[in-house]
Amino acid sequence: MLLPRPTTATYGHGTFLLDESTRIHASGATAETAHWLQSVLRPATGLPLPLTGQAGTGLTLALDPELPAEGYRLHCGPDGVTITGADSAGVFYGCQTLRQLLPAETYRAAPVPGVAWKIRYGTVQDAPRFRWRGTMLDVARHFMPKPQLLRFIDLLALHRINTLHLHLTDDQGWRVQIMRHPRLTEAGAWRRESQRGAAPDAPGDQRPHGGYYTQDDLREIVAYAAQRHITVVPEIDVPGHSQAAIAAYPELGVSGEQLETGTRWGINSNILNAEESTLTFFYEVLDEVMDLFPAPFVGIGGDECPTEQWDADPRTQELIRQRGLADSAELRSWFLGRLGRHLAQRGRRVFAWDEILEGEAPRDTLVASWRGMTGARTAARRGYDVIACPDDLVYLDYRQSELESEPIPFGVPLTLADAYDFDPVPDGLTETQQARIVGGQANIWTEHMDSPRTVDYYAFPRLCAIAEALWSNADRDFEDFQERLRTHLRRLDALGVEYRRVDGPMPWQTRPGVPGKTSSRVAWAEFIDTLVAPIKT
Ligand code: ACM
């Protein structure tokens, strides 16, 4: 009953029992994972599970570099459980499997009396299909406080997600402390109120919202994630989605007017100006971001950037002429290109949304294809690496069914079965182009998720399905998945995850009277098709 489904699992007769005498054997490169394993098994079992450097009966962690990257082999027999990983990530994932082979009570936080901590004899062989198994969390629209973010990281690790893309800035909030530019969080980390619902005429809720991570918090978050083999990829979204920065420093905007941090959802025409001083400001921001996040990639957004303010602004038009560019669209590519060059000079790669393909994207850009899979195909054909995150399959803010009781129903219905159908590799690519698809990710936009409880509702169990699409081989059997999910939900119950029930929201998960904005799949596909026309090849 493993989830994600492993490559192979065979079971024998008999069980190994964890008891007062059980030890964890680990050394060298496996010692850190052994400490973590001890820390997650102790609370519920109440067992001491001491660590030793010697071989013996019990739980043994070892390395075998011959195994595929991040892969592992788990064997359980009379002498206990041996987990052999290709690398420390593989050992870690083997330990996650070990937890799943134990009773679901394993996931509780205090001793559960009367449970036999038994593991069936058997062998599991496993390795991931993709090396980027991601989830984007939008902490800009609604802030997720640090303790809940750490809990979320644990939930990702449980599902073998290895990349957390943090969407740290947007019109409605700036969530990363920047020492050089303190007003980004002093002014930009909070807004006066939030739009209540998705309808264009939805009223404001008249309640301030805010929060941000200090640099110490972020170092802690990055280190906590790293212990769980998760890379945190930061995103500073420019030159659109930047009103919070402009509210903090009006000189970053086109008009220079004092704006407030955004209170309305949707696409916003208040974008950054393209002055050299604005680029310098963001070089300084990115320098601090690179100090905090060792990830090889840094997100710079590039999405949903309407250029009408640039088109109408004489100074911007002058800059376009001075730089020998044709128009505002070329200026947007130029702006992102300059930031990309700054990152490249410091050994990092650009991560950006698929709009970046509307111009010439910086070399080595990792393109996140979100408007369906057109961006994935085009990027792969042009020789860019790709993360697949097609909105109609992995945007977890989209409603989970056609039920009217779905909270603030938004977008197209994106059911558990739809999410399970996600395949990051689009059709129409040669083998070489297919190799450009380095993985995929779920995207959790939080306009309509005003608390971690609500994030639970939207994320789970669809994220369980997407995790399997990213980890397991391409075979799909939804019935088999649903059966394994039934067992898996007992684990999430033990952890207190407030996932969506199969028949709809609990009464307290509904939002009566708060309007959504829905679309049919057909109408939405037509709309997306018009958006991606410029990047179709
Ligand atoms: C996006 O959904 N604007 C990337």
Side-chain angles (χ1 to χ4, degrees):
M1 287 297 156
L2 301 176
L3 193 154
R5 190 189 61 230
T7 312
T8 62
T10 53
Y11 299 101
H13 296 288
T15 57
F16 180 77
L17 178 72
L18 302 190
D19 62 20
E20 292 288 334
S21 71
T22 306
R23 291 161 179 269
I24 300 177
H25 311 283
S27 58
T30 61
E32 189 181 346
T33 307
H35 274 111
W36 168 85
L37 180 65
Q38 184 190 55
S39 76
V40 294
L41 292 181
R42 269 180 168 177
T45 64
L47 298 172
L49 301 166
L51 306 177
T52 80
Q54 286 107 46
T57 300
L59 306 178
T60 302
L61 309 187
L63 287 173
D64 176 0
E66 301 284 304
L67 292 171
E70 299 184 89
Y72 67 90
R73 184 172 57 239
L74 179 153
H75 179 74
C76 179
D79 292 334
V81 180
T82 301
I83 294 166
T84 311
D87 40 35
S88 56
V91 177
F92 179 78
Y93 296 129
C95 290
Q96 292 286 10
T97 291
L98 169 65
R99 296 172 81 192
Q100 293 197 354
L101 292 170
L102 283 160
E105 289 85 351
T106 308
Y107 293 90
R108 293 198 177 269
V112 189
V115 176
W117 306 103
K118 286 195 284 198
I119 302 155
R120 269 168 84 189
Y121 291 171
T123 303
V124 178
Q125 294 265 9
D126 208 1
R129 181 174 171 212
F130 293 102
R131 64 178 194 273
W132 180 296
R133 303 180 301 280
T135 298
M136 186 219 72
L137 184 66
D138 168 13
V139 294
R141 268 54 174 271
H142 280 100
F143 180 63
M144 184 175 279
K146 188 190 67 178
Q148 283 80 22
L149 183 59
L150 298 179
R151 165 189 179 270
F152 189 71
I153 287 169
D154 275 317
L155 291 174
L156 296 182
L158 197 79
H159 293 88
R160 306 206 185 131
I161 298 289
N162 67 356
T163 306
L164 171 61
H165 162 191
L166 272 188
H167 183 75
L168 286 164
T169 69
D170 214 300
D171 297 312
Q172 300 85 1
W174 183 283
R175 309 282 175 227
V176 45
Q177 180 184 35
I178 301 296
M179 299 305 184
R180 194 86 194 244
H181 301 296
R183 278 190 60 75
L184 286 169
T185 45
E186 285 165 10
W190 70 279
R191 59 178 176 264
R192 184 173 49 79
E193 66 171 7
S194 308
Q195 177 181 330
R196 202 160 170 276
D201 58 352
D205 67 357
Q206 300 185 311
R207 183 178 186 188
H209 176 83
Y212 69 94
Y213 307 111
T214 66
Q215 296 207 343
D216 283 340
D217 290 338
L218 287 165
R219 277 186 278 269
E220 179 185 358
I221 289 161
V222 166
Y224 189 90
Q227 285 179 323
R228 287 148 185 81
H229 298 278
I230 291 175
T231 302
V232 185
V233 174
E235 183 192 356
I236 305 296
D237 199 350
V238 293
H241 287 288
S242 295
Q243 189 171 322
I246 299 168
Y249 295 98
E251 63 270 27
L252 298 174
V254 176
S255 71
E257 269 168 49
Q258 177 66 61
L259 302 175
E260 65 171 358
T261 305
T263 61
R264 309 290 302 172
W265 314 128
I267 299 177
N268 184 338
S269 58
N270 292 311
I271 67 172
L272 299 176
N273 66 45
E275 298 289 350
E276 208 53 55
S277 55
T278 295
L279 280 163
T280 300
F281 182 100
F282 278 91
Y283 297 153
E284 290 163 358
V285 167
L286 290 174
D287 286 345
E288 293 193 30
V289 166
M290 284 186 277
D291 280 346
L292 292 168
F293 296 89
F297 296 95
V298 177
I300 55 172
D303 60 321
E304 298 180 323
C305 177
T307 56
E308 66 229 33
Q309 289 191 351
W310 285 357
D311 296 336
D313 177 49
R315 169 64 185 154
T316 307
Q317 293 305 310
E318 185 187 329
L319 288 172
I320 287 173
R321 276 192 303 276
Q322 279 175 7
R323 292 167 184 163
L325 304 169
D327 54 20
S328 296
E330 279 199 8
L331 181 61
R332 193 174 48 199
S333 296
W334 180 90
F335 187 96
L336 292 165
R338 290 290 295 266
L339 294 179
R341 195 174 73 187
H342 187 81
L343 295 178
Q345 284 165 346
R346 285 149 188 81
R348 308 295 180 99
R349 288 174 63 185
V350 169
F351 178 49
W353 300 107
D354 61 31
E355 283 93 335
I356 200 153
L357 298 168
E358 289 169 18
E360 183 157 0
R363 219 161 55 85
D364 268 354
T365 295
L366 177 61
V367 177
S369 177
W370 72 275
R371 298 174 300 176
M373 292 294 260
T374 302
R377 287 189 193 88
T378 298
R381 286 176 185 148
R382 290 191 198 163
Y384 292 103
D385 287 342
V386 174
I387 299 307
C389 47
D391 69 306
D392 62 326
L393 296 178
V394 301
Y395 265 39
L396 299 187
D397 56 327
Y398 287 5
R399 59 199 165 119
Q400 307 201 46
S401 73
E402 300 269 14
L403 292 178
E404 284 187 13
S405 57
E406 290 297 346
I408 318 182
F410 184 73
V412 301
L414 198 175
T415 64
L416 181 64
D418 294 324
Y420 189 69
D421 256 350
F422 172 47
D423 188 330
V425 182
D427 53 20
L429 296 185
T430 65
E431 228 168 89
T432 313
Q433 292 163 351
Q434 284 179 16
R436 289 289 183 184
I437 313 290
V438 297
Q441 64 179 36
N443 290 340
I444 304 177
W445 299 104
T446 59
E447 288 93 330
H448 308 300
M449 302 176 207
D450 62 2
S451 76
R453 294 183 73 178
T454 323
V455 172
D456 272 11
Y457 175 81
Y458 282 89
F460 299 103
R462 290 183 296 184
L463 194 54
C464 309
I466 293 167
E468 180 149 317
L470 295 172
W471 176 277
S472 307
N473 63 34
D475 300 338
R476 295 285 197 284
D477 180 341
F478 188 54
E479 276 188 21
D480 172 72
F481 170 75
Q482 284 175 295
E483 187 166 332
R484 284 181 290 109
L485 183 63
R486 269 192 286 281
T487 305
H488 190 67
L489 293 178
R490 301 289 76 76
R491 301 174 190 132
L492 298 188
D493 283 331
L495 289 164
V497 177
E498 299 191 60
Y499 55 84
R500 180 189 186 275
R501 267 46 183 184
V502 71
D503 50 1
M506 299 289 212
W508 60 88
Q509 292 172 324
T510 64
R511 292 293 300 276
V514 183
K517 190 168 130 200
T518 62
S519 176
S520 72
R521 279 199 164 254
V522 171
W524 189 251
E526 284 173 6
F527 171 62
I528 289 287
D529 225 40
T530 61
L531 292 186
V532 297
I535 62 164
K536 252 189 184 151
T537 51

